Amino acid sequence: MASIWVIDTKDARTAAKYGLFYGCIIPNRYPGIERSIKVILEKLGCNQLFSDIPQATCCPVPGIFYSSDKETWLALAARNLCIAQDRKQELVTFCNGCFSSFLMATEQLSDPKKLGMVNRILKNVFMKYTGIPRVTPEGRRVLEPIKVRHFVDVLYRDIGLESIKSAVVNPLKGLKVAVHYGCHYLRPTERECIEDPVNPIMVDEIVASLGAESINYENKLDCCGAGGGVRSYVVDLAAAISRDKLMNIINAGADLIVTPCPYCLLQLDTVQERLELTRIPVFHITELIALALGADPRRLGLEAHVVPADEIISKYGGTK
Amino acid sequence: MGHAKKEFIISEKERLLEEVPIVDEECDRDFIKAIIEMGGGDVQVCLQCGNCTGVCPVSLKTENKIRNIIKMCQMGLKEKVLSTPWVCATCHRCYEHCPAGMNPAELIVALRHIVVRELGPPPFVVSISNNVANLGQAIEISDKILDLRKKIGLNEKPFDERYRSKAIMDIRTIMRATGYDKLIGIDLGD
Ligand code: SF4
Ligand code: SF4
């Protein structure tokens, strides 16, 4: 069936290799991340490879949808996947939650029964999930599932640390960074296997390539406490789990927390209002990269953060 | 809050330690079937070794021990279990450490499905689902963030207006087709 995205035909032809999927938290709570992403791609000279996906909606958030009705969750996720499919793009996420949701969806859609069920639903919105047609080297036509990527993976594997390193204009010398990966970046291991789940290194190495130091701390791979609905359901429990993490980070002498997930960021940032601890700024990895690549810190939207990052900006903000 | 004090947030312990014997009527023999139907897997394979509880961030902080929840499922103690499933970060640590190949996180999701159907969805599920049905996104934007977006040179509206109404229409159509609107209690109008 032809897609109803008439406006898309032109759009799809000009679509870049990667589609940027911002999710819900980035545009609506921490827009500086969206801005940072644009700055990074421009400074690295690869913005032609990326484009926004203007039709995208909530992934949808698994803690709500996967937890209450798997069918609805899968159909809503497939709707987003169909858009990437029509644009022949890899779907790049900046959030562990979206990443996990889409990976799980592509995995489940490889089951013909589920695929059939979803396509019966998607028929109502004139869409069909097939995956992207490709021809193998042997000349066989195959349909490949949509490639779902985490931006960290794209940066590390496709763009490369050397490119980042050579684009740094504000080396973050002396900045001690505590990296928080977050659960859905790592687990379940058979799905989220972009790197060694018990010894992940990509974010640490990106931090190091910016000139900062990634410090070690106890229970680095622990949960922030917010996922799966805990933050919404029992806010005190999420706070208690975050507190353990934050205490370890502060005790290790970090100046800053960096995470590849805006939801972990939201939790670790906002929870500090209720905890009697030393306050420590929390950044998304893209914000830190943008800072090191010389973005104007006044245009990084850092005022959206609860814990102010003024000190770090005045020290590393470069030429203002 | 005291330093490094162990905090128990939700206490099922007192209730569970009451020396009231479990009577047959409390045990719902069909509970396991319902769990399997909802995709939770067979709880009977659990060995009760406790590895999951040992690595679970929630079990560490509350008396909501994941191993206990599984045991209660095995015994069919449905009433006792239905107050627990939203207290799980779905971090999948339990799954990674389970020697029996159980996936307690998926079991929790199945319990959530049962809760939503039998007791109704918790309020945050209703409000976030409504946001997605009305805005296309889980989170509402504030005036402050709209201003900030403009100030830092982004489109003021995060959602591209050219596509917004079609996207929301799609979402609503999907929710109607799966019956999600009725399940959660979302008013989609006509
Ligand atoms: S997924 Fe849930 S039950 Fe399992 S370890 Fe994480 S919080 Fe505990
Ligand atoms: S780790 Fe597995 S077998 Fe052991 S108690 Fe938990 S679910 Fe049961």
Side-chain angles (χ1 to χ4, degrees), chain B residues 52 55-59 66 88-95 104-105 108:
Chain B
C52 50
V55 294
C56 168
V58 171
S59 299
I66 180 67
C88 161
T90 62
C91 70
H92 285 95
R93 277 219 150 150
C94 46
Y95 171 53
I108 292 286

Side-chain angles (χ1 to χ4, degrees), chain B residues 1-31:
Chain B
M1 243 178 246
H3 183 78
K5 198 178 85 201
K6 197 169 181 186
E7 286 170 68
F8 290 117
I9 309 297
I10 302 148
S11 187
E12 281 286 306
K13 200 175 186 177
E14 279 80 55
R15 223 154 48 94
L16 294 173
L17 286 184
E18 277 172 22
E19 291 191 17
V20 185
I22 294 163
V23 291
D24 220 25
E25 290 82 77
E26 272 184 89
C27 303
D28 181 340
R29 304 271 169 232
D30 293 328
F31 192 37

